[in-house]
Amino acid sequence: MTILVVAEHENAALAPATLNTVAAAAKIGGDVHVLVAGQNVAGIAEAAAKIAGVAKVLVADNAAYAHALPENVAPLIQELASGYTHVLAPATTNGKNILPRVAALLDVDQISEIIAVESADTFKRPIYAGNAIATVQSSAAVKVITVRTTGFDAVAAEGGSAAVESVAAAHDAGKSSFVGEELAKSDRPELTAAKIVVSGGRGMGNGDNFKHLYTLADKLGAAVGASRAAVDAGFVPNDMQVGQTGKIVAPQLYIAVGISGAIQHLAGMKDSKVIVAINKDEEAPIFQVADYGLVADLFEAVPELEKLV
Amino acid sequence: MKVLVAVKRVVDYNVKVRVKADNSGVDLANVKMSMNPFCEIAVEEAVRLKEKGVATEIVAVAVGPTAAQEQLRTALALGADRAILVETGEELNSLAVAKALKAIVDKEQPQLVILGKQAIDSDNNQTGQMLAALTGYAQGTFASKVEVAGDKLNVTREIDGGLQTVALALPAIVTTDLRLNEPRYASLPNIMKAKKKPLETVTPDALGVSTASTTKTIKVEAPAARSAGVKVKSVAELVEKLKNEAKVI
């Protein structure tokens, strides 16, 4: 068995999600190859070659692959896929955007967001917003899978010495082009990789009040998340949303502040090791999953918490 | 332009589903079913495009059981002009649904196909991308803004780090994110009118579509339950427990 892992990268750096995906590949067993597709990605390929357990790195360096447009990248992966038993990508927005397109080109079903590997053809994945876990078996010649990164511990970023090979294939469908992007800037750790996450919901009242969470987060070295209610109310940008339709996090400590705990939010954080809920409504569903619950006004509790930690 | 909108009948988003005792699936008997929330957003976007004079006709399509007619009637009440049900008793995987939609696209030749980004039951997030692959069209997934600019479509997408805008050649496939729009409610007169709008039924066989799948579900289980936690009385007690009991800070 040989497994192709599609590397996730941005701003000329390899994304940590790649390490979790290599970990999932290692659980399946066999040689692990990593594909780095993009423009000016020599540095990323070098970083990928150092990942522990990677046997080979394929580099497709071409202007057509910049910004990971699926119309161009999917045919590239389709072309490479014939040599592999599995094609894996992290279930990031890029992975979710590209892999189903690859699967359809290969005429196979795709398996989304696996959280466990049972065997080379059998996997577990959550359905119904994480309220059920399905075990699925694939008979596809090439198994095309996205990996929920919080389901697998990252492999070491150093220690490997894979050969780097370049791929000449250039696919430019000419159907789409990149216009621009607006990235949220933050000095805090990335939400999906943070050890501690502090999240705010509708109870924050407005966007300004999120500053209480930012100061608490800075003291804890935490990332700041939000519920959909807080995003829709315009308190914070959408890339901070935790939940079924936002990001999936599983930190050591998740502090939910002013969040009721709707099914859709729980889907994104209920695998956290320790959950703390601060809410003034003691009937809020969040208390049913919280290890430690504090029924209090968040505007008093959060500043006090910040002082004490 | 003609716009095709795909809608799915799913368990209502507020329902807490239960796994069947024999682990064959989740229990959907006597459970409230609705249109998938992302599909509602897709219908709303199509209707807005029509109100702006961009779209001329909206065709709603569902692939599913006979009862999915209800969701198509809802789409018609919201402003779709006609509906097509690809009727099947089986629970189809995303690829089979994409193939059925491809057959409808071939027949209807829409300039734009709008789907939800994912169904809240299977949580696959695949069908739109697969349909784009099968048709060879460009895809604008997780859209939070859609603008038609001449023969191009500018789509602002929600990505992990923020927002990205891409320009797509038409015809194109768009999948909706929650922030694309706020769906309207169907008014009673429109619900009555929707009953008279045309709803055509076809089968995958008649479309020449294979529903074979390379994936089968072996079992469905309830997730591990979290044990009930404790309520603390003060912030000081909370900090003490996090430091000494849970040892996470």
Side-chain angles (χ1 to χ4, degrees), chain A residues 233-295:
Chain A
F235 299 173
V236 291
N238 64 275
D239 54 299
M240 284 169 62
Q241 186 185 327
V242 172
Q244 183 184 21
T245 61
K247 288 182 179 147
I248 312 290
V249 301
Q252 293 290 306
L253 173 61
Y254 188 90
I255 305 179
V257 181
I259 292 176
S260 66
I263 294 172
Q264 293 77 14
H265 185 74
L266 300 183
M269 47 63 82
K270 68 179 177 185
D271 292 325
S272 306
K273 187 160 168 272
V274 174
I275 298 174
V276 169
I278 301 175
N279 204 305
K280 64 180 174 193
D281 174 13
E282 61 180 316
E283 301 296 319
I286 190 78
F287 286 119
Q288 289 161 24
V289 300
D291 299 282
Y292 301 108
L294 176 63
V295 180

CSV table of all heavy atoms in Angstrom, one decimal, chain A residues 233-295:
chain,number,residue,atom,x,y,z
A,233,ALA,N,-24.2,37.8,14.6
A,233,ALA,CA,-24.5,39.1,15.2
A,233,ALA,C,-23.4,40.2,14.8
A,233,ALA,O,-23.5,41.3,15.1
A,233,ALA,CB,-24.7,39.0,16.7
A,234,GLY,N,-22.4,39.7,14.1
A,234,GLY,CA,-21.3,40.6,13.7
A,234,GLY,C,-20.3,40.9,14.8
A,234,GLY,O,-19.5,41.8,14.6
A,235,PHE,N,-20.3,40.2,15.9
A,235,PHE,CA,-19.3,40.5,17.0
A,235,PHE,C,-17.9,40.2,16.5
A,235,PHE,O,-17.0,40.9,16.9
A,235,PHE,CB,-19.6,39.6,18.2
A,235,PHE,CG,-21.0,39.8,18.9
A,235,PHE,CD1,-21.4,38.9,19.9
A,235,PHE,CD2,-21.8,40.8,18.5
A,235,PHE,CE1,-22.6,39.1,20.5
A,235,PHE,CE2,-23.1,40.9,19.0
A,235,PHE,CZ,-23.5,40.1,20.1
A,236,VAL,N,-17.7,39.1,15.8
A,236,VAL,CA,-16.4,38.6,15.4
A,236,VAL,C,-16.5,38.0,14.0
A,236,VAL,O,-17.6,37.7,13.5
A,236,VAL,CB,-15.9,37.5,16.3
A,236,VAL,CG1,-15.5,38.1,17.7
A,236,VAL,CG2,-16.9,36.4,16.5
A,237,PRO,N,-15.3,37.9,13.3
A,237,PRO,CA,-15.4,37.3,11.9
A,237,PRO,C,-15.7,35.8,11.9
A,237,PRO,O,-15.5,35.1,12.9
A,237,PRO,CB,-14.0,37.6,11.4
A,237,PRO,CG,-13.1,37.9,12.5
A,237,PRO,CD,-14.0,38.4,13.6
A,238,ASN,N,-16.2,35.4,10.8
A,238,ASN,CA,-16.7,34.0,10.7
A,238,ASN,C,-15.6,32.9,10.8
A,238,ASN,O,-15.9,31.8,11.2
A,238,ASN,CB,-17.4,33.8,9.3
A,238,ASN,CG,-16.5,33.9,8.2
A,238,ASN,OD1,-16.2,35.0,7.7
A,238,ASN,ND2,-15.9,32.8,7.7
A,239,ASP,N,-14.4,33.3,10.6
A,239,ASP,CA,-13.3,32.2,10.7
A,239,ASP,C,-13.1,31.8,12.1
A,239,ASP,O,-12.3,30.9,12.4
A,239,ASP,CB,-12.0,32.6,10.0
A,239,ASP,CG,-11.5,33.9,10.5
A,239,ASP,OD1,-12.2,35.0,10.3
A,239,ASP,OD2,-10.4,34.0,11.1
A,240,MET,N,-13.7,32.5,13.1
A,240,MET,CA,-13.6,32.2,14.5
A,240,MET,C,-14.7,31.2,14.9
A,240,MET,O,-14.7,30.7,16.1
A,240,MET,CB,-13.7,33.4,15.4
A,240,MET,CG,-12.4,34.2,15.4
A,240,MET,SD,-12.6,35.8,16.1
A,240,MET,CE,-13.0,35.4,17.8
A,241,GLN,N,-15.6,30.9,14.0
A,241,GLN,CA,-16.8,30.0,14.4
A,241,GLN,C,-16.4,28.6,14.7
A,241,GLN,O,-15.7,27.9,13.9
A,241,GLN,CB,-17.8,30.1,13.4
A,241,GLN,CG,-19.1,29.3,13.8
A,241,GLN,CD,-20.1,29.3,12.7
A,241,GLN,OE1,-20.3,30.2,11.9
A,241,GLN,NE2,-20.9,28.2,12.7
A,242,VAL,N,-16.8,28.1,15.9
A,242,VAL,CA,-16.6,26.7,16.2
A,242,VAL,C,-18.0,26.0,16.1
A,242,VAL,O,-19.0,26.5,16.6
A,242,VAL,CB,-16.1,26.6,17.7
A,242,VAL,CG1,-16.1,25.2,18.2
A,242,VAL,CG2,-14.7,27.2,17.8
A,243,GLY,N,-18.0,24.8,15.4
A,243,GLY,CA,-19.2,24.1,15.3
A,243,GLY,C,-19.3,23.2,14.1
A,243,GLY,O,-18.4,23.1,13.4
A,244,GLN,N,-20.5,22.7,13.9
A,244,GLN,CA,-20.7,21.7,12.8
A,244,GLN,C,-20.3,22.4,11.5
A,244,GLN,O,-19.8,21.8,10.6
A,244,GLN,CB,-22.2,21.3,12.7
A,244,GLN,CG,-22.6,20.3,11.6
A,244,GLN,CD,-24.1,20.1,11.6
A,244,GLN,OE1,-24.9,20.8,12.1
A,244,GLN,NE2,-24.4,18.9,11.0
A,245,THR,N,-20.7,23.7,11.3
A,245,THR,CA,-20.4,24.4,10.1
A,245,THR,C,-19.2,25.3,10.2
A,245,THR,O,-18.8,25.9,9.2
A,245,THR,CB,-21.6,25.2,9.7
A,245,THR,OG1,-21.8,26.2,10.7
A,245,THR,CG2,-22.8,24.4,9.5
A,246,GLY,N,-18.5,25.3,11.3
A,246,GLY,CA,-17.3,26.1,11.4
A,246,GLY,C,-16.2,25.2,11.7
A,246,GLY,O,-16.0,24.2,11.0
A,247,LYS,N,-15.3,25.6,12.6
A,247,LYS,CA,-14.1,24.7,12.9
A,247,LYS,C,-14.4,23.7,14.0
A,247,LYS,O,-15.2,23.9,14.8
A,247,LYS,CB,-13.0,25.6,13.3
A,247,LYS,CG,-12.5,26.4,12.0
A,247,LYS,CD,-11.3,27.2,12.3
A,247,LYS,CE,-10.9,27.9,11.0
A,247,LYS,NZ,-10.4,29.2,11.2
A,248,ILE,N,-13.7,22.6,13.9
A,248,ILE,CA,-13.8,21.5,14.9
A,248,ILE,C,-12.5,21.6,15.7
A,248,ILE,O,-11.4,21.6,15.2
A,248,ILE,CB,-13.8,20.1,14.2
A,248,ILE,CG1,-14.8,20.1,13.0
A,248,ILE,CG2,-14.1,19.0,15.2
A,248,ILE,CD1,-16.3,20.1,13.4
A,249,VAL,N,-12.7,21.8,17.0
A,249,VAL,CA,-11.6,21.9,17.9
A,249,VAL,C,-11.7,20.8,19.0
A,249,VAL,O,-12.7,20.3,19.3
A,249,VAL,CB,-11.5,23.3,18.6
A,249,VAL,CG1,-11.4,24.4,17.5
A,249,VAL,CG2,-12.7,23.6,19.5
A,250,ALA,N,-10.5,20.4,19.5
A,250,ALA,CA,-10.5,19.4,20.6
A,250,ALA,C,-9.3,19.8,21.5
A,250,ALA,O,-8.4,19.0,21.6
A,250,ALA,CB,-10.4,18.0,20.1
A,251,PRO,N,-9.3,21.0,22.1
A,251,PRO,CA,-8.2,21.4,22.9
A,251,PRO,C,-8.2,20.7,24.3
A,251,PRO,O,-9.1,20.0,24.6
A,251,PRO,CB,-8.4,22.9,23.1
A,251,PRO,CG,-9.9,23.0,23.1
A,251,PRO,CD,-10.4,22.0,22.1
A,252,GLN,N,-7.1,20.9,25.1
A,252,GLN,CA,-7.1,20.4,26.4
A,252,GLN,C,-8.2,21.1,27.3
A,252,GLN,O,-8.8,20.5,28.2
A,252,GLN,CB,-5.7,20.8,27.1
A,252,GLN,CG,-4.5,20.0,26.4
A,252,GLN,CD,-4.6,18.6,26.7
A,252,GLN,OE1,-4.6,18.2,27.9
A,252,GLN,NE2,-4.6,17.7,25.7
A,253,LEU,N,-8.4,22.4,27.1
A,253,LEU,CA,-9.3,23.1,27.9
A,253,LEU,C,-10.1,24.0,26.9
A,253,LEU,O,-9.6,24.8,26.1
A,253,LEU,CB,-8.6,24.0,28.9
A,253,LEU,CG,-9.4,25.0,29.7
A,253,LEU,CD1,-10.5,24.3,30.5
A,253,LEU,CD2,-8.5,25.8,30.6
A,254,TYR,N,-11.5,23.9,27.0
A,254,TYR,CA,-12.4,24.8,26.3
A,254,TYR,C,-13.2,25.5,27.2
A,254,TYR,O,-13.9,25.0,28.1
A,254,TYR,CB,-13.3,23.9,25.3
A,254,TYR,CG,-14.1,24.7,24.4
A,254,TYR,CD1,-13.6,25.0,23.1
A,254,TYR,CD2,-15.4,25.1,24.7
A,254,TYR,CE1,-14.4,25.7,22.2
A,254,TYR,CE2,-16.2,25.8,23.8
A,254,TYR,CZ,-15.6,26.1,22.5
A,254,TYR,OH,-16.4,26.8,21.6
A,255,ILE,N,-13.2,26.8,27.2
A,255,ILE,CA,-14.0,27.7,28.1
A,255,ILE,C,-15.1,28.4,27.3
A,255,ILE,O,-14.8,29.2,26.4
A,255,ILE,CB,-13.1,28.7,28.8
A,255,ILE,CG1,-11.9,28.0,29.5
A,255,ILE,CG2,-13.9,29.6,29.8
A,255,ILE,CD1,-10.9,29.0,30.2
A,256,ALA,N,-16.3,28.0,27.5
A,256,ALA,CA,-17.5,28.5,26.8
A,256,ALA,C,-18.1,29.6,27.6
A,256,ALA,O,-18.6,29.3,28.7
A,256,ALA,CB,-18.5,27.4,26.5
A,257,VAL,N,-18.1,30.8,27.1
A,257,VAL,CA,-18.6,32.0,27.8
A,257,VAL,C,-19.8,32.5,27.1
A,257,VAL,O,-19.7,32.9,26.0
A,257,VAL,CB,-17.5,33.1,27.9
A,257,VAL,CG1,-18.0,34.2,28.7
A,257,VAL,CG2,-16.2,32.5,28.5
A,258,GLY,N,-20.9,32.5,27.8
A,258,GLY,CA,-22.1,33.1,27.2
A,258,GLY,C,-22.6,32.3,26.0
A,258,GLY,O,-23.2,32.9,25.1
A,259,ILE,N,-22.4,31.0,26.0
A,259,ILE,CA,-22.8,30.1,24.9
A,259,ILE,C,-23.8,29.1,25.5
A,259,ILE,O,-23.6,28.5,26.5
A,259,ILE,CB,-21.6,29.4,24.3
A,259,ILE,CG1,-20.6,30.3,23.6
A,259,ILE,CG2,-22.0,28.3,23.4
A,259,ILE,CD1,-19.4,29.7,23.1
A,260,SER,N,-25.0,29.1,24.8
A,260,SER,CA,-26.1,28.2,25.3
A,260,SER,C,-25.7,26.7,25.2
A,260,SER,O,-26.0,25.9,26.0
A,260,SER,CB,-27.4,28.5,24.6
A,260,SER,OG,-27.3,28.2,23.3
A,261,GLY,N,-25.1,26.4,24.0
A,261,GLY,CA,-24.7,25.0,23.8
A,261,GLY,C,-25.6,24.3,22.9
A,261,GLY,O,-26.1,23.1,23.1
A,262,ALA,N,-26.0,24.9,21.7
A,262,ALA,CA,-26.8,24.2,20.7
A,262,ALA,C,-26.1,23.0,20.1
A,262,ALA,O,-24.9,23.0,20.1
A,262,ALA,CB,-27.2,25.2,19.6
A,263,ILE,N,-26.9,22.1,19.6
A,263,ILE,CA,-26.3,20.9,19.0
A,263,ILE,C,-25.2,21.2,18.0
A,263,ILE,O,-24.1,20.6,18.0
A,263,ILE,CB,-27.4,20.1,18.2
A,263,ILE,CG1,-28.5,19.5,19.2
A,263,ILE,CG2,-26.8,18.9,17.4
A,263,ILE,CD1,-29.7,18.9,18.4
A,264,GLN,N,-25.4,22.3,17.2
A,264,GLN,CA,-24.5,22.6,16.2
A,264,GLN,C,-23.1,23.1,16.7
A,264,GLN,O,-22.1,23.0,16.1
A,264,GLN,CB,-25.1,23.7,15.2
A,264,GLN,CG,-26.2,23.2,14.4
A,264,GLN,CD,-27.6,23.1,15.2
A,264,GLN,OE1,-27.7,23.6,16.3
A,264,GLN,NE2,-28.5,22.4,14.6
A,265,HIS,N,-23.2,23.8,17.9
A,265,HIS,CA,-22.0,24.2,18.5
A,265,HIS,C,-21.2,23.1,19.2
A,265,HIS,O,-20.0,22.9,19.0
A,265,HIS,CB,-22.2,25.4,19.5
A,265,HIS,CG,-21.0,25.9,20.1
A,265,HIS,ND1,-20.2,26.8,19.4
A,265,HIS,CD2,-20.3,25.8,21.3
A,265,HIS,CE1,-19.1,27.1,20.1
A,265,HIS,NE2,-19.2,26.5,21.3
A,266,LEU,N,-22.0,22.2,19.9
A,266,LEU,CA,-21.4,21.1,20.6
A,266,LEU,C,-20.6,20.2,19.6
A,266,LEU,O,-19.6,19.6,19.9
A,266,LEU,CB,-22.4,20.3,21.3
A,266,LEU,CG,-23.2,21.0,22.4
A,266,LEU,CD1,-24.2,20.0,23.1
A,266,LEU,CD2,-22.3,21.6,23.4
A,267,ALA,N,-21.1,20.1,18.3
A,267,ALA,CA,-20.5,19.3,17.3
A,267,ALA,C,-19.1,19.7,17.1
A,267,ALA,O,-18.2,18.9,16.7
A,267,ALA,CB,-21.3,19.4,16.0
A,268,GLY,N,-18.7,20.9,17.4
A,268,GLY,CA,-17.4,21.4,17.1
A,268,GLY,C,-16.4,21.4,18.3
A,268,GLY,O,-15.3,21.7,18.1
A,269,MET,N,-16.9,21.1,19.5
A,269,MET,CA,-16.0,21.2,20.6
A,269,MET,C,-16.2,20.1,21.7
A,269,MET,O,-15.5,20.1,22.7
A,269,MET,CB,-16.1,22.6,21.3
A,269,MET,CG,-17.5,23.1,21.5
A,269,MET,SD,-18.6,22.2,22.7
A,269,MET,CE,-18.0,22.8,24.2
A,270,LYS,N,-17.1,19.1,21.5
A,270,LYS,CA,-17.4,18.2,22.6
A,270,LYS,C,-16.3,17.2,22.8
A,270,LYS,O,-16.4,16.4,23.8
A,270,LYS,CB,-18.8,17.6,22.5
A,270,LYS,CG,-19.0,16.7,21.3
A,270,LYS,CD,-20.4,16.2,21.4
A,270,LYS,CE,-20.7,15.3,20.2
A,270,LYS,NZ,-22.0,14.8,20.2
A,271,ASP,N,-15.3,17.1,21.9
A,271,ASP,CA,-14.2,16.2,22.2
A,271,ASP,C,-13.1,16.9,22.9
A,271,ASP,O,-12.0,16.3,23.1
A,271,ASP,CB,-13.7,15.6,20.8
A,271,ASP,CG,-14.7,14.7,20.2
A,271,ASP,OD1,-15.4,14.0,21.0
A,271,ASP,OD2,-14.9,14.6,19.0
A,272,SER,N,-13.3,18.1,23.4
A,272,SER,CA,-12.3,18.8,24.2
A,272,SER,C,-12.1,18.0,25.5
A,272,SER,O,-13.0,17.4,26.0
A,272,SER,CB,-12.8,20.2,24.6
A,272,SER,OG,-13.1,20.9,23.4
A,273,LYS,N,-10.8,18.0,26.0
A,273,LYS,CA,-10.6,17.2,27.2
A,273,LYS,C,-11.4,17.7,28.4
A,273,LYS,O,-12.0,17.0,29.1
A,273,LYS,CB,-9.1,17.2,27.5
A,273,LYS,CG,-8.7,16.3,28.6
A,273,LYS,CD,-7.2,16.0,28.6
A,273,LYS,CE,-6.7,15.3,29.8
A,273,LYS,NZ,-6.3,16.2,30.9
A,274,VAL,N,-11.2,19.0,28.7
A,274,VAL,CA,-12.0,19.6,29.8
A,274,VAL,C,-12.8,20.8,29.3
A,274,VAL,O,-12.3,21.6,28.6
A,274,VAL,CB,-11.0,20.1,30.9
A,274,VAL,CG1,-11.8,20.9,32.0
A,274,VAL,CG2,-10.2,19.0,31.5
A,275,ILE,N,-14.1,20.8,29.6
A,275,ILE,CA,-15.0,21.9,29.2
A,275,ILE,C,-15.4,22.7,30.4
A,275,ILE,O,-15.9,22.1,31.4
A,275,ILE,CB,-16.2,21.3,28.4
A,275,ILE,CG1,-15.7,20.6,27.1
A,275,ILE,CG2,-17.1,22.4,28.0
A,275,ILE,CD1,-16.8,19.8,26.4
A,276,VAL,N,-15.3,24.0,30.3
A,276,VAL,CA,-15.7,24.9,31.3
A,276,VAL,C,-16.8,25.7,30.7
A,276,VAL,O,-16.7,26.2,29.6
A,276,VAL,CB,-14.6,25.8,31.8
A,276,VAL,CG1,-15.1,26.9,32.7
A,276,VAL,CG2,-13.6,24.9,32.6
A,277,ALA,N,-18.0,25.9,31.4
A,277,ALA,CA,-19.0,26.7,30.9
A,277,ALA,C,-19.3,27.9,32.0
A,277,ALA,O,-19.4,27.6,33.2
A,277,ALA,CB,-20.3,25.9,30.7
A,278,ILE,N,-19.3,29.1,31.4
A,278,ILE,CA,-19.7,30.2,32.3
A,278,ILE,C,-21.0,30.8,31.6
A,278,ILE,O,-20.9,31.3,30.5
A,278,ILE,CB,-18.6,31.3,32.4
A,278,ILE,CG1,-17.3,30.6,32.9
A,278,ILE,CG2,-19.0,32.5,33.2
A,278,ILE,CD1,-16.1,31.6,32.9
A,279,ASN,N,-22.1,30.7,32.4
A,279,ASN,CA,-23.3,31.2,31.8
A,279,ASN,C,-24.3,31.5,33.0
A,279,ASN,O,-24.2,30.9,34.0
A,279,ASN,CB,-24.0,30.0,31.0
A,279,ASN,CG,-24.9,30.5,29.9
A,279,ASN,OD1,-25.9,31.3,30.3
A,279,ASN,ND2,-24.7,30.1,28.7
A,280,LYS,N,-25.1,32.6,32.8
A,280,LYS,CA,-25.9,32.9,33.9
A,280,LYS,C,-27.2,32.1,33.9
A,280,LYS,O,-28.0,32.1,34.9
A,280,LYS,CB,-26.2,34.4,33.9
A,280,LYS,CG,-27.0,35.0,32.7
A,280,LYS,CD,-27.1,36.5,32.9
A,280,LYS,CE,-27.7,37.1,31.6
A,280,LYS,NZ,-27.7,38.5,31.6
A,281,ASP,N,-27.5,31.4,32.8
A,281,ASP,CA,-28.7,30.6,32.7
A,281,ASP,C,-28.3,29.1,33.1
A,281,ASP,O,-27.7,28.4,32.4
A,281,ASP,CB,-29.3,30.6,31.3
A,281,ASP,CG,-30.4,29.6,31.1
A,281,ASP,OD1,-31.0,29.1,32.2
A,281,ASP,OD2,-30.8,29.3,30.0
A,282,GLU,N,-28.8,28.7,34.3
A,282,GLU,CA,-28.3,27.4,34.8
A,282,GLU,C,-29.0,26.3,34.0
A,282,GLU,O,-28.6,25.1,34.2
A,282,GLU,CB,-28.5,27.3,36.3
A,282,GLU,CG,-29.9,27.4,36.8
A,282,GLU,CD,-30.0,27.2,38.3
A,282,GLU,OE1,-29.3,26.3,38.8
A,282,GLU,OE2,-30.6,28.0,39.0
A,283,GLU,N,-30.0,26.6,33.2
A,283,GLU,CA,-30.7,25.6,32.4
A,283,GLU,C,-30.0,25.4,31.0
A,283,GLU,O,-30.4,24.5,30.2
A,283,GLU,CB,-32.1,25.9,32.1
A,283,GLU,CG,-33.0,26.1,33.4
A,283,GLU,CD,-33.1,24.9,34.2
A,283,GLU,OE1,-33.3,23.8,33.6
A,283,GLU,OE2,-33.0,24.9,35.4
A,284,ALA,N,-29.0,26.2,30.7
A,284,ALA,CA,-28.4,26.1,29.4
A,284,ALA,C,-27.8,24.7,29.2
A,284,ALA,O,-27.2,24.2,30.0
A,284,ALA,CB,-27.2,27.2,29.3
A,285,PRO,N,-28.0,24.2,27.9
A,285,PRO,CA,-27.6,22.8,27.6
A,285,PRO,C,-26.1,22.7,27.7
A,285,PRO,O,-25.6,21.5,27.9
A,285,PRO,CB,-28.0,22.6,26.2
A,285,PRO,CG,-28.9,23.8,25.8
A,285,PRO,CD,-28.8,24.8,26.8
A,286,ILE,N,-25.3,23.7,27.6
A,286,ILE,CA,-23.9,23.6,27.7
A,286,ILE,C,-23.4,23.0,29.0
A,286,ILE,O,-22.4,22.3,29.1
A,286,ILE,CB,-23.2,25.0,27.5
A,286,ILE,CG1,-21.7,24.9,27.4
A,286,ILE,CG2,-23.5,26.0,28.7
A,286,ILE,CD1,-21.2,24.5,26.0
A,287,PHE,N,-24.2,23.2,30.1
A,287,PHE,CA,-23.9,22.6,31.4
A,287,PHE,C,-23.9,21.1,31.4
A,287,PHE,O,-23.3,20.4,32.3
A,287,PHE,CB,-24.7,23.2,32.5
A,287,PHE,CG,-24.4,24.6,32.9
A,287,PHE,CD1,-25.3,25.6,32.7
A,287,PHE,CD2,-23.1,24.9,33.3
A,287,PHE,CE1,-25.0,26.9,33.0
A,287,PHE,CE2,-22.8,26.2,33.7
A,287,PHE,CZ,-23.7,27.2,33.5
A,288,GLN,N,-24.7,20.5,30.4
A,288,GLN,CA,-24.8,19.0,30.3
A,288,GLN,C,-23.5,18.4,29.8
A,288,GLN,O,-23.3,17.2,30.0
A,288,GLN,CB,-25.9,18.6,29.5
A,288,GLN,CG,-27.3,18.9,30.1
A,288,GLN,CD,-28.4,18.9,29.1
A,288,GLN,OE1,-28.3,18.3,28.0
A,288,GLN,NE2,-29.5,19.6,29.4
A,289,VAL,N,-22.6,19.2,29.2
A,289,VAL,CA,-21.4,18.6,28.7
A,289,VAL,C,-20.2,19.2,29.4
A,289,VAL,O,-19.0,18.8,29.2
A,289,VAL,CB,-21.2,18.8,27.2
A,289,VAL,CG1,-22.3,18.1,26.4
A,289,VAL,CG2,-21.1,20.2,26.8
A,290,ALA,N,-20.4,20.2,30.3
A,290,ALA,CA,-19.3,20.9,30.9
A,290,ALA,C,-18.8,20.1,32.1
A,290,ALA,O,-19.6,19.6,32.9
A,290,ALA,CB,-19.8,22.3,31.4
A,291,ASP,N,-17.4,20.0,32.2
A,291,ASP,CA,-16.8,19.3,33.4
A,291,ASP,C,-17.0,20.3,34.6
A,291,ASP,O,-17.2,19.8,35.7
A,291,ASP,CB,-15.4,19.0,33.1
A,291,ASP,CG,-15.2,18.1,31.9
A,291,ASP,OD1,-15.5,16.9,32.1
A,291,ASP,OD2,-15.0,18.6,30.8
A,292,TYR,N,-16.8,21.5,34.3
A,292,TYR,CA,-16.9,22.5,35.4
A,292,TYR,C,-17.9,23.6,34.9
A,292,TYR,O,-17.6,24.2,33.9
A,292,TYR,CB,-15.6,23.1,35.8
A,292,TYR,CG,-14.6,22.1,36.2
A,292,TYR,CD1,-13.5,21.8,35.4
A,292,TYR,CD2,-14.7,21.5,37.4
A,292,TYR,CE1,-12.6,20.8,35.8
A,292,TYR,CE2,-13.8,20.5,37.8
A,292,TYR,CZ,-12.8,20.2,37.0
A,292,TYR,OH,-11.9,19.2,37.4
A,293,GLY,N,-18.9,23.8,35.7
A,293,GLY,CA,-19.9,24.9,35.3
A,293,GLY,C,-19.9,26.0,36.3
A,293,GLY,O,-19.9,25.7,37.5
A,294,LEU,N,-20.0,27.2,35.9
A,294,LEU,CA,-20.1,28.3,36.8
A,294,LEU,C,-21.3,29.1,36.4
A,294,LEU,O,-21.4,29.7,35.3
A,294,LEU,CB,-18.9,29.2,36.8
A,294,LEU,CG,-18.9,30.4,37.6
A,294,LEU,CD1,-19.0,30.1,39.1
A,294,LEU,CD2,-17.6,31.2,37.4
A,295,VAL,N,-22.4,29.2,37.2
A,295,VAL,CA,-23.5,30.0,36.9
A,295,VAL,C,-23.3,31.4,37.5
A,295,VAL,O,-23.2,31.6,38.7
A,295,VAL,CB,-24.8,29.4,37.6
A,295,VAL,CG1,-26.0,30.2,37.2
A,295,VAL,CG2,-25.0,28.0,37.1
